[in-house]
Amino acid sequence: MNIKPIDVYDSNRRKLFGFFHLFSYALGGGEKVLWEAVISTLENDYNNVAVIYTFTPSTDTSIYSILLGVKETFGIDFLRSDREYLRDRIVFIHLSDKYSWLINGSSYPVLSMIGQAIGSVFLVMSGFQQVTPDVFIDTIGIPFTYMLVYGFLHIPIISYIHYPTVSRDMLKAAKNIGGIYGILKYGYWWVLLQLYSLNIIWVNIALYNSTWTAENVMSALGWAGDDAEIEENILYPPCVSFDDYDFDKVSIPELLLKKREKNIVYLAQFRPEKRHKLLIQHYKEYLQQYEEKGISEPHKLVFIGALRQGKDEEYVKSLKDLIGELEIPSELIIFELNAPTSNVEKWLQNSDFGINCMWKEHFGIAVVEYMLNGAIPLVHASAGPLEDIVIPRVDGHALGKGESKKHLKVEDDERSGLFFKDETDPDYNKANVETYPTLTDMLLSASGLTDVYKNKMRENAIYVSREKFGRGAFTTKWDKCISEVLATENEHRDKRGTVERVY
C-alpha cells in the first residue's frame, strides 16, 4: 500500500496552534487575551486546533471548571451545546505543577530574571516533548524561549506583548545607583537586554497591547518604528467579548439619554499602584472647594474591584482608615467588593464619570469599559489612556496615532475625557502644570461641566471606544495575523523532507 504524506497546502490539513500560557485558569487581563485569541483561532478555520500548555491550580482541576470560569468571567462560552465543534479542538497539555516555581520570581533570591528565563526554556521543552505545535503563540511573556522555538525548531512565533520584559529605563536606573552595586546591576540588566534582543528578533509577528508597550520594546531593542508601523503592530486587548451579543443591542442614543447619578466610579484591582489613596486625598481637597466653585452637590466616589484574601483585604482596610482620618463622610465613598458583572455594568451605565489614577497604565481596559458604557473618563495623562484610549473624535472618527500628532489643538467639542498630572508622578515636572491640571482641579472641572458639554463628551467617548474596541475588533486583526503566520508555516514545512511531512 502506498501511503503518501498530506500535501502542505491541502485545505484539510490540521494546524496545531500552541498557546503557551502557564496560568490559563487565572482569569485576569492576560487570560482574557488568551481565550479571545483561542476562540478566534478556532472559528477562523475548522482545521485549526488550539493546544494550551498550562499548569493547574489544584490536582482536582478539570477542563470543565476552567472553561466554566472563562464563561462566567469573560462571557466566552465554549460549553454551549452548539459549540462541540470548538471544544473538540481544544487540547490541554498539563505541565507538571511541581515545576511552577521555575518561573516564579520569588523562587530566586538573586538573578531572578535569569532564573525565570532558564526555567521558561525548560518548560517549553517539556511541553514540546508531549506535543510540538505548528505555530507557537506566547500570550504570557516568555521571550527568552524564542531562539529555541524559531531559530532551532523553525516553528513560527506570534508574540503578544503586554509589557517590555527589559527596558532602557532599567539601565538608566542602575546607572544612577553608583558604586560597585550599581556597576553590577547595570551589567546584569545590560546582559539581559542583549539576551532579550537576541531572542525577540526571531518573532514572526509581534503584537503590542498599547503604544506605550510598543515604543518601550522598540526603544529597548534600538528599533526605529514610525507611527504607521507602530499602529500596525498594536492589537488592543479584547474589550468586548466574542460572545457579547447584548453589546450590539445597547444603542448609543439609549446610553446618552440615561439619567446619570453624580458618581465617579473607580473600577480597578485593590493594589497600591492604582493609587486609590491619592484619589482619596485629592477628593478631600475637592470637598473643601466645590461650593466655592458654584457646585451645589459633590460627586460621590465608588470603588469597585475584586477582593482576594490577604494583601487586598489589608489594602482596603487602609483605604477605609484613611477616609476616617481625613473625616470624609462615609456615605460619600462607596465600596463595591466582588460585585457581579451585571452590577458593575449598572454602575457604569448610571454614573457620570469613571476614573483611573494609575501612572503609566500600559493599556487601561477599565477606561475602555467606562467609555463603552457612557461614563466620561477622568484619567492620568500617560501611557495607554493618553495615547490609545481617551483620544479626540474629529470629523466623526477617532484620530489615529499619526493624526493625533498633526492635530495639535483639540477643541472642546472633540474631547472624549479629561486628564490630570500629579506632583508625585516619577516623571513630573512643573511644565506639566501648564498642560494638565492637578487631580483636585480635574475633579472640580468635571463636576462643573454643563449637561450639554457632558453629553457631547460622553457621545465622543462612546463613538471612539466602539470604533477602536468594539465587538469583533480584536478578532478582525487576529485573523489577519493567523493568515500571515500560516503562510510562513507552509513555507517552512514545504522545505522539509517527505518523511517529516507524514502525518
Side-chain angles (χ1 to χ4, degrees), residues 343-372:
N343 283 16
V344 175
E345 287 178 356
K346 284 178 184 176
W347 277 110
L348 297 183
Q349 291 185 9
N350 292 302
S351 297
D352 248 348
F353 302 101
I355 196 165
N356 187 304
C357 295
M358 186 172 173
W359 175 76
K360 289 198 174 179
E361 177 89 81
H362 300 158
F363 178 60
I365 199 165
V367 179
V368 178
E369 296 281 358
Y370 300 153
M371 296 168 71
L372 288 168

PDB file of all heavy atoms in Angstrom, residues 343-372:
ATOM      1  N   ASN A 343     -23.898  43.997  38.114  1.00  0.00           N
ATOM      2  CA  ASN A 343     -23.871  45.164  38.997  1.00  0.00           C
ATOM      3  C   ASN A 343     -22.871  46.202  38.517  1.00  0.00           C
ATOM      4  O   ASN A 343     -23.127  47.412  38.566  1.00  0.00           O
ATOM      5  CB  ASN A 343     -23.522  44.744  40.430  1.00  0.00           C
ATOM      6  CG  ASN A 343     -24.697  44.122  41.150  1.00  0.00           C
ATOM      7  OD1 ASN A 343     -25.676  43.732  40.509  1.00  0.00           O
ATOM      8  ND2 ASN A 343     -24.611  44.003  42.464  1.00  0.00           N
ATOM      9  N   VAL A 344     -21.715  45.718  38.051  1.00  0.00           N
ATOM     10  CA  VAL A 344     -20.688  46.641  37.545  1.00  0.00           C
ATOM     11  C   VAL A 344     -21.233  47.431  36.359  1.00  0.00           C
ATOM     12  O   VAL A 344     -21.067  48.658  36.274  1.00  0.00           O
ATOM     13  CB  VAL A 344     -19.412  45.870  37.132  1.00  0.00           C
ATOM     14  CG1 VAL A 344     -18.402  46.823  36.490  1.00  0.00           C
ATOM     15  CG2 VAL A 344     -18.783  45.193  38.350  1.00  0.00           C
ATOM     16  N   GLU A 345     -21.905  46.743  35.451  1.00  0.00           N
ATOM     17  CA  GLU A 345     -22.477  47.412  34.274  1.00  0.00           C
ATOM     18  C   GLU A 345     -23.502  48.460  34.678  1.00  0.00           C
ATOM     19  O   GLU A 345     -23.569  49.539  34.074  1.00  0.00           O
ATOM     20  CB  GLU A 345     -23.097  46.374  33.342  1.00  0.00           C
ATOM     21  CG  GLU A 345     -22.070  45.543  32.589  1.00  0.00           C
ATOM     22  CD  GLU A 345     -22.710  44.492  31.697  1.00  0.00           C
ATOM     23  OE1 GLU A 345     -23.962  44.366  31.729  1.00  0.00           O
ATOM     24  OE2 GLU A 345     -21.960  43.809  30.973  1.00  0.00           O
ATOM     25  N   LYS A 346     -24.290  48.164  35.692  1.00  0.00           N
ATOM     26  CA  LYS A 346     -25.288  49.139  36.160  1.00  0.00           C
ATOM     27  C   LYS A 346     -24.601  50.396  36.684  1.00  0.00           C
ATOM     28  O   LYS A 346     -25.035  51.527  36.403  1.00  0.00           O
ATOM     29  CB  LYS A 346     -26.159  48.517  37.256  1.00  0.00           C
ATOM     30  CG  LYS A 346     -27.206  47.540  36.733  1.00  0.00           C
ATOM     31  CD  LYS A 346     -28.003  46.935  37.876  1.00  0.00           C
ATOM     32  CE  LYS A 346     -28.986  45.889  37.362  1.00  0.00           C
ATOM     33  NZ  LYS A 346     -29.702  45.213  38.474  1.00  0.00           N
ATOM     34  N   TRP A 347     -23.542  50.207  37.465  1.00  0.00           N
ATOM     35  CA  TRP A 347     -22.815  51.361  37.990  1.00  0.00           C
ATOM     36  C   TRP A 347     -22.245  52.199  36.839  1.00  0.00           C
ATOM     37  O   TRP A 347     -22.357  53.427  36.839  1.00  0.00           O
ATOM     38  CB  TRP A 347     -21.674  50.908  38.907  1.00  0.00           C
ATOM     39  CG  TRP A 347     -22.061  50.605  40.313  1.00  0.00           C
ATOM     40  CD1 TRP A 347     -22.101  49.387  40.922  1.00  0.00           C
ATOM     41  CD2 TRP A 347     -22.480  51.553  41.302  1.00  0.00           C
ATOM     42  NE1 TRP A 347     -22.512  49.502  42.227  1.00  0.00           N
ATOM     43  CE2 TRP A 347     -22.744  50.820  42.487  1.00  0.00           C
ATOM     44  CE3 TRP A 347     -22.644  52.935  41.312  1.00  0.00           C
ATOM     45  CZ2 TRP A 347     -23.180  51.443  43.663  1.00  0.00           C
ATOM     46  CZ3 TRP A 347     -23.084  53.560  42.493  1.00  0.00           C
ATOM     47  CH2 TRP A 347     -23.347  52.814  43.656  1.00  0.00           C
ATOM     48  N   LEU A 348     -21.662  51.523  35.862  1.00  0.00           N
ATOM     49  CA  LEU A 348     -21.034  52.252  34.752  1.00  0.00           C
ATOM     50  C   LEU A 348     -22.067  52.974  33.887  1.00  0.00           C
ATOM     51  O   LEU A 348     -21.816  54.091  33.410  1.00  0.00           O
ATOM     52  CB  LEU A 348     -20.219  51.291  33.880  1.00  0.00           C
ATOM     53  CG  LEU A 348     -19.024  50.603  34.550  1.00  0.00           C
ATOM     54  CD1 LEU A 348     -18.277  49.730  33.538  1.00  0.00           C
ATOM     55  CD2 LEU A 348     -18.070  51.612  35.166  1.00  0.00           C
ATOM     56  N   GLN A 349     -23.215  52.357  33.683  1.00  0.00           N
ATOM     57  CA  GLN A 349     -24.222  52.955  32.811  1.00  0.00           C
ATOM     58  C   GLN A 349     -25.077  54.004  33.513  1.00  0.00           C
ATOM     59  O   GLN A 349     -25.818  54.741  32.858  1.00  0.00           O
ATOM     60  CB  GLN A 349     -25.121  51.856  32.223  1.00  0.00           C
ATOM     61  CG  GLN A 349     -24.391  50.978  31.223  1.00  0.00           C
ATOM     62  CD  GLN A 349     -25.293  49.964  30.546  1.00  0.00           C
ATOM     63  OE1 GLN A 349     -26.510  50.010  30.691  1.00  0.00           O
ATOM     64  NE2 GLN A 349     -24.692  49.037  29.816  1.00  0.00           N
ATOM     65  N   ASN A 350     -24.960  54.077  34.839  1.00  0.00           N
ATOM     66  CA  ASN A 350     -25.763  55.047  35.589  1.00  0.00           C
ATOM     67  C   ASN A 350     -24.925  56.126  36.268  1.00  0.00           C
ATOM     68  O   ASN A 350     -25.464  56.950  37.008  1.00  0.00           O
ATOM     69  CB  ASN A 350     -26.615  54.322  36.639  1.00  0.00           C
ATOM     70  CG  ASN A 350     -27.693  53.457  35.996  1.00  0.00           C
ATOM     71  OD1 ASN A 350     -28.534  53.956  35.249  1.00  0.00           O
ATOM     72  ND2 ASN A 350     -27.660  52.163  36.252  1.00  0.00           N
ATOM     73  N   SER A 351     -23.609  56.117  36.035  1.00  0.00           N
ATOM     74  CA  SER A 351     -22.723  57.097  36.676  1.00  0.00           C
ATOM     75  C   SER A 351     -22.208  58.113  35.668  1.00  0.00           C
ATOM     76  O   SER A 351     -22.049  57.813  34.488  1.00  0.00           O
ATOM     77  CB  SER A 351     -21.539  56.377  37.336  1.00  0.00           C
ATOM     78  OG  SER A 351     -21.982  55.518  38.367  1.00  0.00           O
ATOM     79  N   ASP A 352     -21.932  59.300  36.171  1.00  0.00           N
ATOM     80  CA  ASP A 352     -21.430  60.391  35.326  1.00  0.00           C
ATOM     81  C   ASP A 352     -20.036  60.111  34.773  1.00  0.00           C
ATOM     82  O   ASP A 352     -19.772  60.302  33.593  1.00  0.00           O
ATOM     83  CB  ASP A 352     -21.377  61.686  36.152  1.00  0.00           C
ATOM     84  CG  ASP A 352     -22.401  62.710  35.679  1.00  0.00           C
ATOM     85  OD1 ASP A 352     -22.980  62.516  34.593  1.00  0.00           O
ATOM     86  OD2 ASP A 352     -22.613  63.703  36.400  1.00  0.00           O
ATOM     87  N   PHE A 353     -19.132  59.674  35.668  1.00  0.00           N
ATOM     88  CA  PHE A 353     -17.719  59.574  35.305  1.00  0.00           C
ATOM     89  C   PHE A 353     -17.104  58.243  35.750  1.00  0.00           C
ATOM     90  O   PHE A 353     -17.605  57.576  36.661  1.00  0.00           O
ATOM     91  CB  PHE A 353     -16.911  60.709  35.966  1.00  0.00           C
ATOM     92  CG  PHE A 353     -17.387  62.091  35.625  1.00  0.00           C
ATOM     93  CD1 PHE A 353     -18.168  62.811  36.514  1.00  0.00           C
ATOM     94  CD2 PHE A 353     -17.053  62.678  34.406  1.00  0.00           C
ATOM     95  CE1 PHE A 353     -18.611  64.091  36.208  1.00  0.00           C
ATOM     96  CE2 PHE A 353     -17.491  63.954  34.082  1.00  0.00           C
ATOM     97  CZ  PHE A 353     -18.272  64.664  34.982  1.00  0.00           C
ATOM     98  N   GLY A 354     -15.994  57.898  35.094  1.00  0.00           N
ATOM     99  CA  GLY A 354     -15.136  56.791  35.525  1.00  0.00           C
ATOM    100  C   GLY A 354     -13.727  57.330  35.629  1.00  0.00           C
ATOM    101  O   GLY A 354     -13.309  58.152  34.798  1.00  0.00           O
ATOM    102  N   ILE A 355     -12.972  56.910  36.620  1.00  0.00           N
ATOM    103  CA  ILE A 355     -11.642  57.488  36.845  1.00  0.00           C
ATOM    104  C   ILE A 355     -10.558  56.414  36.870  1.00  0.00           C
ATOM    105  O   ILE A 355     -10.815  55.248  37.218  1.00  0.00           O
ATOM    106  CB  ILE A 355     -11.619  58.313  38.160  1.00  0.00           C
ATOM    107  CG1 ILE A 355     -10.391  59.229  38.217  1.00  0.00           C
ATOM    108  CG2 ILE A 355     -11.681  57.403  39.391  1.00  0.00           C
ATOM    109  CD1 ILE A 355     -10.483  60.300  39.285  1.00  0.00           C
ATOM    110  N   ASN A 356      -9.347  56.794  36.462  1.00  0.00           N
ATOM    111  CA  ASN A 356      -8.173  55.923  36.546  1.00  0.00           C
ATOM    112  C   ASN A 356      -6.995  56.792  36.983  1.00  0.00           C
ATOM    113  O   ASN A 356      -6.641  57.748  36.297  1.00  0.00           O
ATOM    114  CB  ASN A 356      -7.884  55.275  35.191  1.00  0.00           C
ATOM    115  CG  ASN A 356      -6.771  54.244  35.279  1.00  0.00           C
ATOM    116  OD1 ASN A 356      -5.672  54.547  35.713  1.00  0.00           O
ATOM    117  ND2 ASN A 356      -7.041  53.027  34.850  1.00  0.00           N
ATOM    118  N   CYS A 357      -6.387  56.449  38.113  1.00  0.00           N
ATOM    119  CA  CYS A 357      -5.325  57.280  38.684  1.00  0.00           C
ATOM    120  C   CYS A 357      -3.932  56.701  38.503  1.00  0.00           C
ATOM    121  O   CYS A 357      -2.949  57.295  38.940  1.00  0.00           O
ATOM    122  CB  CYS A 357      -5.575  57.499  40.174  1.00  0.00           C
ATOM    123  SG  CYS A 357      -7.075  58.440  40.508  1.00  0.00           S
ATOM    124  N   MET A 358      -3.810  55.539  37.886  1.00  0.00           N
ATOM    125  CA  MET A 358      -2.508  54.876  37.781  1.00  0.00           C
ATOM    126  C   MET A 358      -1.566  55.645  36.867  1.00  0.00           C
ATOM    127  O   MET A 358      -1.962  56.160  35.824  1.00  0.00           O
ATOM    128  CB  MET A 358      -2.684  53.446  37.262  1.00  0.00           C
ATOM    129  CG  MET A 358      -1.404  52.640  37.254  1.00  0.00           C
ATOM    130  SD  MET A 358      -1.723  50.912  36.843  1.00  0.00           S
ATOM    131  CE  MET A 358      -0.058  50.293  36.698  1.00  0.00           C
ATOM    132  N   TRP A 359      -0.307  55.732  37.268  1.00  0.00           N
ATOM    133  CA  TRP A 359       0.736  56.343  36.448  1.00  0.00           C
ATOM    134  C   TRP A 359       1.254  55.305  35.456  1.00  0.00           C
ATOM    135  O   TRP A 359       1.612  54.207  35.814  1.00  0.00           O
ATOM    136  CB  TRP A 359       1.877  56.832  37.355  1.00  0.00           C
ATOM    137  CG  TRP A 359       3.070  57.373  36.628  1.00  0.00           C
ATOM    138  CD1 TRP A 359       3.174  58.581  36.012  1.00  0.00           C
ATOM    139  CD2 TRP A 359       4.345  56.734  36.461  1.00  0.00           C
ATOM    140  NE1 TRP A 359       4.425  58.744  35.457  1.00  0.00           N
ATOM    141  CE2 TRP A 359       5.174  57.616  35.715  1.00  0.00           C
ATOM    142  CE3 TRP A 359       4.868  55.506  36.857  1.00  0.00           C
ATOM    143  CZ2 TRP A 359       6.484  57.304  35.374  1.00  0.00           C
ATOM    144  CZ3 TRP A 359       6.175  55.198  36.506  1.00  0.00           C
ATOM    145  CH2 TRP A 359       6.964  56.088  35.780  1.00  0.00           C
ATOM    146  N   LYS A 360       1.253  55.678  34.173  1.00  0.00           N
ATOM    147  CA  LYS A 360       1.737  54.812  33.099  1.00  0.00           C
ATOM    148  C   LYS A 360       1.075  53.433  33.105  1.00  0.00           C
ATOM    149  O   LYS A 360       1.737  52.394  33.105  1.00  0.00           O
ATOM    150  CB  LYS A 360       3.263  54.693  33.124  1.00  0.00           C
ATOM    151  CG  LYS A 360       3.945  55.990  32.684  1.00  0.00           C
ATOM    152  CD  LYS A 360       5.386  55.800  32.282  1.00  0.00           C
ATOM    153  CE  LYS A 360       5.948  57.108  31.712  1.00  0.00           C
ATOM    154  NZ  LYS A 360       7.355  57.018  31.323  1.00  0.00           N
ATOM    155  N   GLU A 361      -0.259  53.457  33.107  1.00  0.00           N
ATOM    156  CA  GLU A 361      -1.025  52.229  32.883  1.00  0.00           C
ATOM    157  C   GLU A 361      -0.725  51.764  31.464  1.00  0.00           C
ATOM    158  O   GLU A 361      -0.924  52.505  30.507  1.00  0.00           O
ATOM    159  CB  GLU A 361      -2.515  52.543  33.020  1.00  0.00           C
ATOM    160  CG  GLU A 361      -3.444  51.389  32.746  1.00  0.00           C
ATOM    161  CD  GLU A 361      -3.736  50.549  33.981  1.00  0.00           C
ATOM    162  OE1 GLU A 361      -4.597  50.948  34.779  1.00  0.00           O
ATOM    163  OE2 GLU A 361      -3.088  49.491  34.119  1.00  0.00           O
ATOM    164  N   HIS A 362      -0.222  50.532  31.310  1.00  0.00           N
ATOM    165  CA  HIS A 362       0.209  50.079  29.976  1.00  0.00           C
ATOM    166  C   HIS A 362      -0.912  50.195  28.959  1.00  0.00           C
ATOM    167  O   HIS A 362      -0.704  50.662  27.844  1.00  0.00           O
ATOM    168  CB  HIS A 362       0.691  48.626  30.041  1.00  0.00           C
ATOM    169  CG  HIS A 362       1.843  48.445  30.971  1.00  0.00           C
ATOM    170  ND1 HIS A 362       2.162  47.241  31.531  1.00  0.00           N
ATOM    171  CD2 HIS A 362       2.742  49.338  31.455  1.00  0.00           C
ATOM    172  CE1 HIS A 362       3.218  47.374  32.315  1.00  0.00           C
ATOM    173  NE2 HIS A 362       3.582  48.632  32.290  1.00  0.00           N
ATOM    174  N   PHE A 363      -2.110  49.764  29.350  1.00  0.00           N
ATOM    175  CA  PHE A 363      -3.254  49.938  28.461  1.00  0.00           C
ATOM    176  C   PHE A 363      -4.375  50.650  29.224  1.00  0.00           C
ATOM    177  O   PHE A 363      -4.524  51.842  29.121  1.00  0.00           O
ATOM    178  CB  PHE A 363      -3.722  48.599  27.890  1.00  0.00           C
ATOM    179  CG  PHE A 363      -4.930  48.732  26.994  1.00  0.00           C
ATOM    180  CD1 PHE A 363      -4.871  49.523  25.855  1.00  0.00           C
ATOM    181  CD2 PHE A 363      -6.124  48.101  27.312  1.00  0.00           C
ATOM    182  CE1 PHE A 363      -5.990  49.675  25.037  1.00  0.00           C
ATOM    183  CE2 PHE A 363      -7.236  48.235  26.496  1.00  0.00           C
ATOM    184  CZ  PHE A 363      -7.167  49.032  25.358  1.00  0.00           C
ATOM    185  N   GLY A 364      -5.146  49.925  30.001  1.00  0.00           N
ATOM    186  CA  GLY A 364      -6.228  50.547  30.760  1.00  0.00           C
ATOM    187  C   GLY A 364      -7.599  50.096  30.292  1.00  0.00           C
ATOM    188  O   GLY A 364      -8.416  50.908  29.865  1.00  0.00           O
ATOM    189  N   ILE A 365      -7.847  48.792  30.388  1.00  0.00           N
ATOM    190  CA  ILE A 365      -9.098  48.235  29.864  1.00  0.00           C
ATOM    191  C   ILE A 365     -10.313  48.767  30.616  1.00  0.00           C
ATOM    192  O   ILE A 365     -11.400  48.912  30.036  1.00  0.00           O
ATOM    193  CB  ILE A 365      -9.056  46.687  29.897  1.00  0.00           C
ATOM    194  CG1 ILE A 365     -10.111  46.108  28.949  1.00  0.00           C
ATOM    195  CG2 ILE A 365      -9.193  46.148  31.306  1.00  0.00           C
ATOM    196  CD1 ILE A 365      -9.917  44.647  28.630  1.00  0.00           C
ATOM    197  N   ALA A 366     -10.145  49.129  31.892  1.00  0.00           N
ATOM    198  CA  ALA A 366     -11.270  49.687  32.654  1.00  0.00           C
ATOM    199  C   ALA A 366     -11.707  51.025  32.061  1.00  0.00           C
ATOM    200  O   ALA A 366     -12.902  51.357  32.069  1.00  0.00           O
ATOM    201  CB  ALA A 366     -10.883  49.862  34.119  1.00  0.00           C
ATOM    202  N   VAL A 367     -10.751  51.791  31.546  1.00  0.00           N
ATOM    203  CA  VAL A 367     -11.077  53.084  30.932  1.00  0.00           C
ATOM    204  C   VAL A 367     -11.957  52.859  29.695  1.00  0.00           C
ATOM    205  O   VAL A 367     -12.908  53.608  29.443  1.00  0.00           O
ATOM    206  CB  VAL A 367      -9.795  53.853  30.559  1.00  0.00           C
ATOM    207  CG1 VAL A 367     -10.133  55.195  29.906  1.00  0.00           C
ATOM    208  CG2 VAL A 367      -8.926  54.079  31.790  1.00  0.00           C
ATOM    209  N   VAL A 368     -11.644  51.825  28.928  1.00  0.00           N
ATOM    210  CA  VAL A 368     -12.471  51.482  27.768  1.00  0.00           C
ATOM    211  C   VAL A 368     -13.882  51.098  28.230  1.00  0.00           C
ATOM    212  O   VAL A 368     -14.887  51.483  27.610  1.00  0.00           O
ATOM    213  CB  VAL A 368     -11.848  50.331  26.958  1.00  0.00           C
ATOM    214  CG1 VAL A 368     -12.743  49.960  25.777  1.00  0.00           C
ATOM    215  CG2 VAL A 368     -10.471  50.719  26.461  1.00  0.00           C
ATOM    216  N   GLU A 369     -13.966  50.340  29.327  1.00  0.00           N
ATOM    217  CA  GLU A 369     -15.273  49.949  29.870  1.00  0.00           C
ATOM    218  C   GLU A 369     -16.095  51.190  30.221  1.00  0.00           C
ATOM    219  O   GLU A 369     -17.305  51.241  29.966  1.00  0.00           O
ATOM    220  CB  GLU A 369     -15.087  49.088  31.128  1.00  0.00           C
ATOM    221  CG  GLU A 369     -14.391  47.765  30.896  1.00  0.00           C
ATOM    222  CD  GLU A 369     -15.319  46.706  30.326  1.00  0.00           C
ATOM    223  OE1 GLU A 369     -16.522  46.994  30.153  1.00  0.00           O
ATOM    224  OE2 GLU A 369     -14.835  45.601  30.045  1.00  0.00           O
ATOM    225  N   TYR A 370     -15.439  52.196  30.821  1.00  0.00           N
ATOM    226  CA  TYR A 370     -16.153  53.434  31.127  1.00  0.00           C
ATOM    227  C   TYR A 370     -16.776  54.010  29.860  1.00  0.00           C
ATOM    228  O   TYR A 370     -17.969  54.327  29.808  1.00  0.00           O
ATOM    229  CB  TYR A 370     -15.201  54.490  31.701  1.00  0.00           C
ATOM    230  CG  TYR A 370     -14.490  54.136  32.979  1.00  0.00           C
ATOM    231  CD1 TYR A 370     -13.253  54.706  33.289  1.00  0.00           C
ATOM    232  CD2 TYR A 370     -15.046  53.256  33.908  1.00  0.00           C
ATOM    233  CE1 TYR A 370     -12.590  54.408  34.463  1.00  0.00           C
ATOM    234  CE2 TYR A 370     -14.382  52.949  35.090  1.00  0.00           C
ATOM    235  CZ  TYR A 370     -13.149  53.531  35.355  1.00  0.00           C
ATOM    236  OH  TYR A 370     -12.499  53.232  36.523  1.00  0.00           O
ATOM    237  N   MET A 371     -15.942  54.158  28.838  1.00  0.00           N
ATOM    238  CA  MET A 371     -16.366  54.829  27.609  1.00  0.00           C
ATOM    239  C   MET A 371     -17.458  54.051  26.881  1.00  0.00           C
ATOM    240  O   MET A 371     -18.417  54.634  26.374  1.00  0.00           O
ATOM    241  CB  MET A 371     -15.155  55.057  26.712  1.00  0.00           C
ATOM    242  CG  MET A 371     -14.130  55.996  27.332  1.00  0.00           C
ATOM    243  SD  MET A 371     -12.538  56.025  26.478  1.00  0.00           S
ATOM    244  CE  MET A 371     -12.954  56.881  24.958  1.00  0.00           C
ATOM    245  N   LEU A 372     -17.315  52.746  26.815  1.00  0.00           N
ATOM    246  CA  LEU A 372     -18.327  51.916  26.147  1.00  0.00           C
ATOM    247  C   LEU A 372     -19.693  52.045  26.817  1.00  0.00           C
ATOM    248  O   LEU A 372     -20.731  51.943  26.163  1.00  0.00           O
ATOM    249  CB  LEU A 372     -17.890  50.450  26.151  1.00  0.00           C
ATOM    250  CG  LEU A 372     -16.738  50.057  25.220  1.00  0.00           C
ATOM    251  CD1 LEU A 372     -16.241  48.662  25.548  1.00  0.00           C
ATOM    252  CD2 LEU A 372     -17.170  50.133  23.753  1.00  0.00           C
TER     253      LEU A 372
END
